[in-house]
Amino acid sequence: MKALVAGELRRLLGRRLVRVLALVAFAAIALTGVLVFVNTEDVSSAELSARRRQAEAEYQQCVERGGPDAGPRELPDEGGPGLRIPVEERCGHAVGGVDDPRFALADLKGILQAT
């Protein structure tokens, strides 16, 4: 059985098209890696901390105001008056969070899968 599998693999790898497609795949992965590296935003830890402090201040202001101006305050409920959404949750959605724009090693899995 091992000889049969080994023979099939040799036959498969002996084809020019398979080698060319493997080379194209590796080139695409390398190109994607270079593009991600070039387009990654360089943000210092101090600037990222400042962005987080600003988002936290906006969130606190939103909570003190009693919530964002726009958006539903209640979700309709079948057969009931509605479900009250807490102010903290509404402000959390309105303000959003601070995303770290730097490339993380955990992002590599999605890039390789997409490639």
Side-chain angles (χ1 to χ4, degrees):
M1 183 72 174
K2 289 181 184 179
L4 179 62
V5 171
E8 288 297 319
L9 283 175
R10 273 195 307 273
R11 187 175 66 85
L12 181 67
L13 294 174
R15 298 187 184 273
R16 187 178 312 141
L17 181 62
V18 172
R19 288 183 290 192
V20 169
L21 288 177
L23 182 64
V24 168
F26 286 124
I29 291 171
L31 178 66
T32 304
V34 169
L35 289 175
V36 167
F37 177 76
V38 169
N39 291 319
T40 297
E41 185 178 343
D42 185 25
V43 179
S44 67
S45 296
E47 185 177 344
L48 197 57
S49 295
R51 289 181 186 182
R52 287 188 178 122
R53 283 192 303 274
Q54 181 182 2
E56 181 64 29
E58 290 175 8
Y59 173 78
Q60 290 300 329
Q61 288 174 355
C62 179
V63 170
E64 289 171 4
R65 285 193 316 257
D69 298 331
R73 293 183 182 259
E74 292 186 4
L75 292 175
D77 188 20
E78 296 178 12
L83 176 65
R84 184 90 173 130
I85 301 173
V87 174
E88 293 82 8
E89 187 175 336
R90 286 187 283 131
C91 288
H93 287 293
V95 173
V98 176
D99 292 329
D100 190 350
R102 298 173 293 185
F103 179 74
L105 190 57
D107 299 334
L108 188 60
K109 179 180 178 185
I111 291 170
L112 291 176
Q113 287 176 341
T115 303

